[in-house]
Amino acid sequence: MKAIICCATLALFAGSSWAGILNLGYSGFYKHLDTVAKARVEQAHLGFYLIRQNGDGMCRIESGEVRVAQDIRGQVEVLPHGQFRLPYDKQLDLDKAVVALEVEDPERCDIAIKIQAELDAGEISLARLREVRQEMDLLLKKMAGWPGRYFVPELKGLHLVAAEPGQQLGGKERLELSDSQLAEERSLTLPAVRISPWL
């Protein structure tokens, strides 16, 4: 699945790229983070990624900083699977901060914003997964705005993948749970998983 949310992608770019540095306007990210905060969800959230324009996987992010003019206001956390995390800070939005990412071939990268959730390893009830699905559905509609929320495709269920490379879910790399399966009253024993909407 590619970016769940691709609205306002171009608006995120604030400046040019050079010597492997990609400058992105923080305000575009803040708008999305603020929407999530106001939705008051507990498990679903947004994941920010850089993907290759040719569809060949993720762009490699070496490091990142949040800057206002020449002042460093924070570090960007880069996770092993390619996601990068940013602070949620109204002042950074007001100060027109820039997210500066050190990236290989930055001119070949695009922003992807995904609705996702993570759960720790163990026994996970389908009732809890139904809660995750409801939160994801809420975020999809919130992110689409009005009247876009009326045109958001309906969720069919959830996609689950192992959070750690090399692990499997019941002998598979990916587990798809339809709404009818999620309606069952049972539990699954799983490794740590990353969850995304099945559209």
Side-chain angles (χ1 to χ4, degrees):
M1 178 185 64
K2 293 188 178 180
I4 294 300
I5 302 164
C6 51
C7 57
T9 297
L10 294 177
L12 293 176
F13 289 85
S16 59
S17 58
W18 71 95
I21 300 297
L22 181 63
N23 285 336
L24 307 169
Y26 175 79
S27 292
F29 293 105
Y30 179 82
K31 176 183 176 183
H32 296 313
L33 292 170
D34 193 51
T35 298
V36 174
K38 290 177 179 177
R40 302 193 180 203
V41 291
E42 296 182 3
Q43 299 172 97
H45 60 90
L46 296 183
F48 300 120
Y49 298 84
L50 285 182
I51 59 172
R52 297 198 178 278
Q53 293 173 349
N54 62 6
D56 188 22
M58 300 286 177
C59 293
R60 179 181 176 84
I61 304 173
E62 298 292 341
S63 63
E65 298 172 338
V66 182
R67 301 174 181 167
V68 175
Q70 299 304 313
D71 296 331
I72 298 174
R73 294 283 189 87
Q75 298 296 319
V76 176
E77 182 183 6
V78 182
L79 303 182
H81 64 282
Q83 178 185 349
F84 62 95
R85 290 179 176 167
L86 300 173
Y88 171 54
D89 188 331
K90 178 64 175 176
Q91 192 59 50
L92 290 175
D93 177 44
L94 294 174
D95 291 343
K96 305 301 181 186
V98 170
V99 179
L101 301 176
E102 184 180 356
V103 185
E104 181 181 353
D105 296 326
E107 68 279 359
R108 300 180 181 179
C109 300
D110 284 333
I111 293 286
I113 306 174
K114 301 180 181 180
I115 292 175
Q116 59 187 36
E118 291 88 23
L119 294 179
D120 293 333
E123 188 173 333
I124 301 172
S125 70
L126 293 183
R128 185 175 182 189
L129 290 176
R130 288 196 296 273
E131 293 175 359
V132 172
R133 183 209 179 280
Q134 290 172 355
E135 290 189 0
M136 289 184 167
D137 188 48
L138 174 63
L139 277 188
L140 277 169
K141 290 180 171 63
K142 291 280 188 184
M143 299 302 291
W146 189 91
R149 70 188 63 185
Y150 298 107
F151 303 99
V152 172
E154 286 200 26
L155 267 66
K156 299 177 183 177
L158 299 175
H159 289 298
L160 286 74
V161 297
E164 298 295 329
Q167 293 189 325
Q168 293 191 329
L169 311 178
K172 300 178 180 179
E173 292 186 2
R174 181 186 190 96
L175 182 62
E176 293 182 340
L177 293 174
S178 67
D179 281 346
S180 60
Q181 291 172 309
L182 289 171
E184 299 174 13
E185 297 300 332
R186 59 187 177 93
S187 297
L188 302 173
T189 300
L190 299 170
V193 292
R194 190 171 302 111
I195 306 170
S196 58
W198 176 7
L199 297 174

mmCIF file of all heavy atoms in Angstrom, residues 52-76:
data_model
loop_
_atom_site.group_PDB
_atom_site.id
_atom_site.type_symbol
_atom_site.label_atom_id
_atom_site.label_comp_id
_atom_site.label_asym_id
_atom_site.label_seq_id
_atom_site.Cartn_x
_atom_site.Cartn_y
_atom_site.Cartn_z
ATOM 1 N N ARG A 52 10.881 6.372 -2.791
ATOM 2 C CA ARG A 52 11.482 6.657 -4.092
ATOM 3 C C ARG A 52 10.391 6.899 -5.136
ATOM 4 O O ARG A 52 9.388 6.200 -5.173
ATOM 5 C CB ARG A 52 12.395 5.517 -4.521
ATOM 6 C CG ARG A 52 13.573 5.327 -3.586
ATOM 7 C CD ARG A 52 14.683 4.508 -4.216
ATOM 8 N NE ARG A 52 15.809 4.394 -3.298
ATOM 9 C CZ ARG A 52 16.737 5.321 -3.138
ATOM 10 N NH1 ARG A 52 16.676 6.426 -3.860
ATOM 11 N NH2 ARG A 52 17.727 5.158 -2.291
ATOM 12 N N GLN A 53 10.600 7.876 -5.987
ATOM 13 C CA GLN A 53 9.605 8.235 -6.993
ATOM 14 C C GLN A 53 9.356 7.107 -7.988
ATOM 15 O O GLN A 53 8.273 7.014 -8.557
ATOM 16 C CB GLN A 53 10.060 9.499 -7.733
ATOM 17 C CG GLN A 53 10.075 10.735 -6.861
ATOM 18 C CD GLN A 53 10.683 11.938 -7.543
ATOM 19 O OE1 GLN A 53 11.292 11.824 -8.607
ATOM 20 N NE2 GLN A 53 10.535 13.109 -6.941
ATOM 21 N N ASN A 54 10.356 6.251 -8.189
ATOM 22 C CA ASN A 54 10.184 5.145 -9.138
ATOM 23 C C ASN A 54 9.504 3.932 -8.509
ATOM 24 O O ASN A 54 9.368 2.888 -9.135
ATOM 25 C CB ASN A 54 11.533 4.737 -9.745
ATOM 26 C CG ASN A 54 12.521 4.221 -8.699
ATOM 27 O OD1 ASN A 54 12.179 4.056 -7.519
ATOM 28 N ND2 ASN A 54 13.751 3.968 -9.128
ATOM 29 N N GLY A 55 9.086 4.067 -7.241
ATOM 30 C CA GLY A 55 8.394 2.977 -6.561
ATOM 31 C C GLY A 55 9.299 1.906 -6.005
ATOM 32 O O GLY A 55 8.825 0.881 -5.515
ATOM 33 N N ASP A 56 10.609 2.152 -6.020
ATOM 34 C CA ASP A 56 11.577 1.150 -5.590
ATOM 35 C C ASP A 56 11.947 1.326 -4.114
ATOM 36 O O ASP A 56 13.097 1.578 -3.763
ATOM 37 C CB ASP A 56 12.829 1.215 -6.467
ATOM 38 C CG ASP A 56 13.795 0.067 -6.202
ATOM 39 O OD1 ASP A 56 13.339 -0.971 -5.681
ATOM 40 O OD2 ASP A 56 14.988 0.215 -6.513
ATOM 41 N N GLY A 57 10.955 1.242 -3.244
ATOM 42 C CA GLY A 57 11.207 1.239 -1.812
ATOM 43 C C GLY A 57 11.419 2.611 -1.204
ATOM 44 O O GLY A 57 11.045 3.647 -1.757
ATOM 45 N N MET A 58 12.051 2.598 -0.025
ATOM 46 C CA MET A 58 12.251 3.799 0.762
ATOM 47 C C MET A 58 13.543 4.517 0.387
ATOM 48 O O MET A 58 14.515 3.901 -0.033
ATOM 49 C CB MET A 58 12.317 3.442 2.256
ATOM 50 C CG MET A 58 11.076 2.774 2.793
ATOM 51 S SD MET A 58 9.723 3.953 2.972
ATOM 52 C CE MET A 58 8.443 2.820 3.523
ATOM 53 N N CYS A 59 13.533 5.828 0.591
ATOM 54 C CA CYS A 59 14.767 6.604 0.510
ATOM 55 C C CYS A 59 15.489 6.486 1.849
ATOM 56 O O CYS A 59 14.858 6.519 2.912
ATOM 57 C CB CYS A 59 14.460 8.076 0.229
ATOM 58 S SG CYS A 59 13.749 8.392 -1.389
ATOM 59 N N ARG A 60 16.786 6.367 1.802
ATOM 60 C CA ARG A 60 17.573 6.220 3.019
ATOM 61 C C ARG A 60 17.802 7.586 3.664
ATOM 62 O O ARG A 60 18.382 8.476 3.061
ATOM 63 C CB ARG A 60 18.907 5.553 2.706
ATOM 64 C CG ARG A 60 19.810 5.368 3.918
ATOM 65 C CD ARG A 60 21.124 4.716 3.513
ATOM 66 N NE ARG A 60 22.032 4.621 4.629
ATOM 67 C CZ ARG A 60 22.023 3.645 5.534
ATOM 68 N NH1 ARG A 60 21.145 2.669 5.409
ATOM 69 N NH2 ARG A 60 22.883 3.624 6.531
ATOM 70 N N ILE A 61 17.335 7.718 4.904
ATOM 71 C CA ILE A 61 17.526 8.956 5.664
ATOM 72 C C ILE A 61 18.665 8.726 6.649
ATOM 73 O O ILE A 61 18.595 7.844 7.503
ATOM 74 C CB ILE A 61 16.248 9.353 6.425
ATOM 75 C CG1 ILE A 61 15.057 9.490 5.464
ATOM 76 C CG2 ILE A 61 16.459 10.656 7.189
ATOM 77 C CD1 ILE A 61 13.735 9.709 6.162
ATOM 78 N N GLU A 62 19.711 9.515 6.522
ATOM 79 C CA GLU A 62 20.860 9.370 7.421
ATOM 80 C C GLU A 62 20.597 10.034 8.767
ATOM 81 O O GLU A 62 20.911 9.476 9.819
ATOM 82 C CB GLU A 62 22.111 9.986 6.774
ATOM 83 C CG GLU A 62 22.545 9.321 5.477
ATOM 84 C CD GLU A 62 23.060 7.913 5.684
ATOM 85 O OE1 GLU A 62 23.427 7.568 6.833
ATOM 86 O OE2 GLU A 62 23.089 7.151 4.702
ATOM 87 N N SER A 63 20.035 11.228 8.734
ATOM 88 C CA SER A 63 19.773 11.974 9.969
ATOM 89 C C SER A 63 18.856 13.139 9.626
ATOM 90 O O SER A 63 18.547 13.387 8.459
ATOM 91 C CB SER A 63 21.079 12.489 10.586
ATOM 92 O OG SER A 63 21.714 13.404 9.711
ATOM 93 N N GLY A 64 18.432 13.861 10.659
ATOM 94 C CA GLY A 64 17.583 15.016 10.406
ATOM 95 C C GLY A 64 17.531 15.957 11.597
ATOM 96 O O GLY A 64 17.758 15.547 12.742
ATOM 97 N N GLU A 65 17.232 17.213 11.309
ATOM 98 C CA GLU A 65 17.101 18.232 12.338
ATOM 99 C C GLU A 65 15.904 19.119 12.029
ATOM 100 O O GLU A 65 15.482 19.230 10.874
ATOM 101 C CB GLU A 65 18.355 19.119 12.384
ATOM 102 C CG GLU A 65 19.627 18.385 12.733
ATOM 103 C CD GLU A 65 20.861 19.253 12.568
ATOM 104 O OE1 GLU A 65 20.788 20.254 11.808
ATOM 105 O OE2 GLU A 65 21.890 18.926 13.186
ATOM 106 N N VAL A 66 15.370 19.727 13.072
ATOM 107 C CA VAL A 66 14.334 20.747 12.913
ATOM 108 C C VAL A 66 14.999 22.084 13.202
ATOM 109 O O VAL A 66 15.569 22.281 14.284
ATOM 110 C CB VAL A 66 13.145 20.507 13.853
ATOM 111 C CG1 VAL A 66 12.066 21.569 13.623
ATOM 112 C CG2 VAL A 66 12.567 19.113 13.649
ATOM 113 N N ARG A 67 14.939 23.009 12.250
ATOM 114 C CA ARG A 67 15.658 24.271 12.359
ATOM 115 C C ARG A 67 14.715 25.458 12.193
ATOM 116 O O ARG A 67 13.742 25.392 11.457
ATOM 117 C CB ARG A 67 16.749 24.369 11.291
ATOM 118 C CG ARG A 67 17.800 23.265 11.332
ATOM 119 C CD ARG A 67 18.737 23.397 10.151
ATOM 120 N NE ARG A 67 19.749 22.342 10.125
ATOM 121 C CZ ARG A 67 20.527 22.091 9.085
ATOM 122 N NH1 ARG A 67 20.392 22.806 7.981
ATOM 123 N NH2 ARG A 67 21.428 21.133 9.153
ATOM 124 N N VAL A 68 15.077 26.523 12.873
ATOM 125 C CA VAL A 68 14.471 27.833 12.640
ATOM 126 C C VAL A 68 15.630 28.765 12.319
ATOM 127 O O VAL A 68 16.481 29.005 13.183
ATOM 128 C CB VAL A 68 13.686 28.338 13.858
ATOM 129 C CG1 VAL A 68 13.182 29.762 13.605
ATOM 130 C CG2 VAL A 68 12.521 27.406 14.177
ATOM 131 N N ALA A 69 15.674 29.238 11.091
ATOM 132 C CA ALA A 69 16.843 29.973 10.584
ATOM 133 C C ALA A 69 18.056 29.070 10.770
ATOM 134 O O ALA A 69 18.065 27.946 10.293
ATOM 135 C CB ALA A 69 16.985 31.310 11.292
ATOM 136 N N GLN A 70 19.071 29.507 11.509
ATOM 137 C CA GLN A 70 20.264 28.684 11.713
ATOM 138 C C GLN A 70 20.241 27.942 13.048
ATOM 139 O O GLN A 70 21.183 27.217 13.377
ATOM 140 C CB GLN A 70 21.517 29.568 11.644
ATOM 141 C CG GLN A 70 21.709 30.262 10.309
ATOM 142 C CD GLN A 70 21.753 29.284 9.141
ATOM 143 O OE1 GLN A 70 22.448 28.273 9.202
ATOM 144 N NE2 GLN A 70 21.011 29.584 8.085
ATOM 145 N N ASP A 71 19.171 28.110 13.811
ATOM 146 C CA ASP A 71 19.088 27.475 15.128
ATOM 147 C C ASP A 71 18.488 26.078 15.025
ATOM 148 O O ASP A 71 17.433 25.893 14.399
ATOM 149 C CB ASP A 71 18.230 28.309 16.082
ATOM 150 C CG ASP A 71 18.832 29.670 16.360
ATOM 151 O OD1 ASP A 71 20.076 29.789 16.314
ATOM 152 O OD2 ASP A 71 18.059 30.615 16.628
ATOM 153 N N ILE A 72 19.135 25.110 15.645
ATOM 154 C CA ILE A 72 18.606 23.752 15.703
ATOM 155 C C ILE A 72 17.637 23.670 16.875
ATOM 156 O O ILE A 72 18.007 23.912 18.023
ATOM 157 C CB ILE A 72 19.736 22.718 15.868
ATOM 158 C CG1 ILE A 72 20.685 22.779 14.661
ATOM 159 C CG2 ILE A 72 19.151 21.311 16.036
ATOM 160 C CD1 ILE A 72 21.899 21.891 14.801
ATOM 161 N N ARG A 73 16.382 23.330 16.599
ATOM 162 C CA ARG A 73 15.340 23.259 17.622
ATOM 163 C C ARG A 73 14.997 21.821 18.014
ATOM 164 O O ARG A 73 14.171 21.608 18.897
ATOM 165 C CB ARG A 73 14.082 23.952 17.124
ATOM 166 C CG ARG A 73 14.219 25.436 16.913
ATOM 167 C CD ARG A 73 14.173 26.206 18.219
ATOM 168 N NE ARG A 73 14.087 27.634 17.983
ATOM 169 C CZ ARG A 73 12.949 28.301 17.812
ATOM 170 N NH1 ARG A 73 11.789 27.667 17.849
ATOM 171 N NH2 ARG A 73 12.971 29.596 17.605
ATOM 172 N N GLY A 74 15.569 20.852 17.339
ATOM 173 C CA GLY A 74 15.274 19.465 17.684
ATOM 174 C C GLY A 74 15.851 18.507 16.665
ATOM 175 O O GLY A 74 16.270 18.916 15.570
ATOM 176 N N GLN A 75 15.887 17.228 17.055
ATOM 177 C CA GLN A 75 16.384 16.175 16.176
ATOM 178 C C GLN A 75 15.216 15.378 15.606
ATOM 179 O O GLN A 75 14.178 15.229 16.252
ATOM 180 C CB GLN A 75 17.326 15.239 16.938
ATOM 181 C CG GLN A 75 18.575 15.918 17.484
ATOM 182 C CD GLN A 75 19.476 16.452 16.386
ATOM 183 O OE1 GLN A 75 19.681 15.794 15.365
ATOM 184 N NE2 GLN A 75 20.024 17.640 16.596
ATOM 185 N N VAL A 76 15.406 14.867 14.415
ATOM 186 C CA VAL A 76 14.415 13.985 13.793
ATOM 187 C C VAL A 76 14.786 12.554 14.142
ATOM 188 O O VAL A 76 15.932 12.138 13.953
ATOM 189 C CB VAL A 76 14.397 14.177 12.264
ATOM 190 C CG1 VAL A 76 13.432 13.183 11.624
ATOM 191 C CG2 VAL A 76 14.022 15.608 11.905
#
